[in-house]
């Protein structure tokens, strides 16, 4: 009986220790990593021009298939719906390049519009860390 109490006490202490370590690391937000594993990309700010779209339709090259399948009425709504799952990207029609965007709020306001994005490019992940987004003139 005494042995069972000792085992139970050791188990409770072990569980509380694990929970303590889990809570201790939970408060720190994850920082974007660059290719070398550093905190955030330190690449210089550049200017990119393209169309705000989503990761799925950008790789397909069109919204038509998804719009038919999902009964979506506009390309902008297609972008907003698909971006929930596939994220926002900047598609550069001149170079046919697709860049992931680390921002979600501002791209949704400019879905399916030609824009100018200023930000730092992480070449390893092809992600632009957005500084500003504005409609192209």
């Amino acid at each position: 009986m005494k042995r069972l109490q000792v085992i139970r006490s050791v188990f409770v202490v072990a569980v509380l220790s694990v929970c303590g370590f889990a809570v201790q690391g939970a408060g720190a937000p994850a920082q974007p990593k660059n290719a070398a594993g550093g905190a955030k990309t330190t690449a210089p700010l550049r200017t990119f021009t393209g169309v705000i779209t989503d990761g799925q339709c950008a790789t397909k090259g069109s919204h038509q298939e998804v719009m038919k399948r999902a009964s979506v009425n506009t390309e902008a709504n297609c972008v907003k719906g698909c971006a929930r799952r596939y994220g926002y990207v900047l598609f550069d029609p001149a170079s046919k390049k697709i860049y992931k965007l680390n921002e979600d709020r501002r791209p949704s306001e400019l879905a399916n519009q030609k824009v100018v994005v200023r930000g730092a490019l992480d070449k390893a992940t092809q992600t632009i860390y957005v500084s500003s987004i504005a409609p192209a003139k």
Side-chain angles (χ1 to χ4, degrees):
M1 184 71 160
K2 189 167 187 138
R3 186 177 212 168
L4 183 61
Q5 288 177 337
V6 170
I7 292 173
R8 188 178 300 156
S9 297
V10 170
F11 178 74
V12 168
V13 169
V15 168
L16 291 176
S17 296
V18 169
C19 291
F21 286 122
V23 169
Q24 188 176 23
Q31 288 287 331
K33 302 280 185 194
N34 66 9
K40 192 173 182 179
T41 184
T42 56
L45 291 179
R46 293 176 43 193
T47 301
F48 303 87
T49 303
V51 177
I52 297 288
T53 187
D54 61 273
Q56 177 182 12
C57 294
T59 57
K60 292 179 185 250
S62 171
H63 296 281
Q64 299 309 316
E65 179 185 332
V66 175
M67 287 176 64
K68 271 187 188 175
R69 189 179 53 214
S71 298
V72 178
N73 58 351
T74 67
E75 290 182 353
N77 285 339
C78 182
V79 170
K80 291 174 185 176
C82 292
R84 287 187 198 119
R85 182 169 182 188
Y86 298 98
Y88 286 100
V89 300
L90 179 73
F91 175 68
D92 181 356
S95 66
K96 305 289 187 215
K97 284 195 165 217
I98 299 171
Y99 300 100
K100 297 177 200 164
L101 299 173
N102 77 321
E103 174 74 42
D104 283 338
R105 184 182 51 79
R106 288 182 284 179
S108 70
E109 298 165 1
L110 299 166
N112 201 50
Q113 293 182 35
K114 188 170 183 180
V115 296
V116 176
V117 175
R118 183 129 172 91
L121 176 64
D122 182 343
K123 290 183 181 181
T125 62
Q126 291 296 294
T127 300
I128 300 173
Y129 291 91
V130 177
S131 173
S132 66
I133 300 176
K137 295 179 177 158

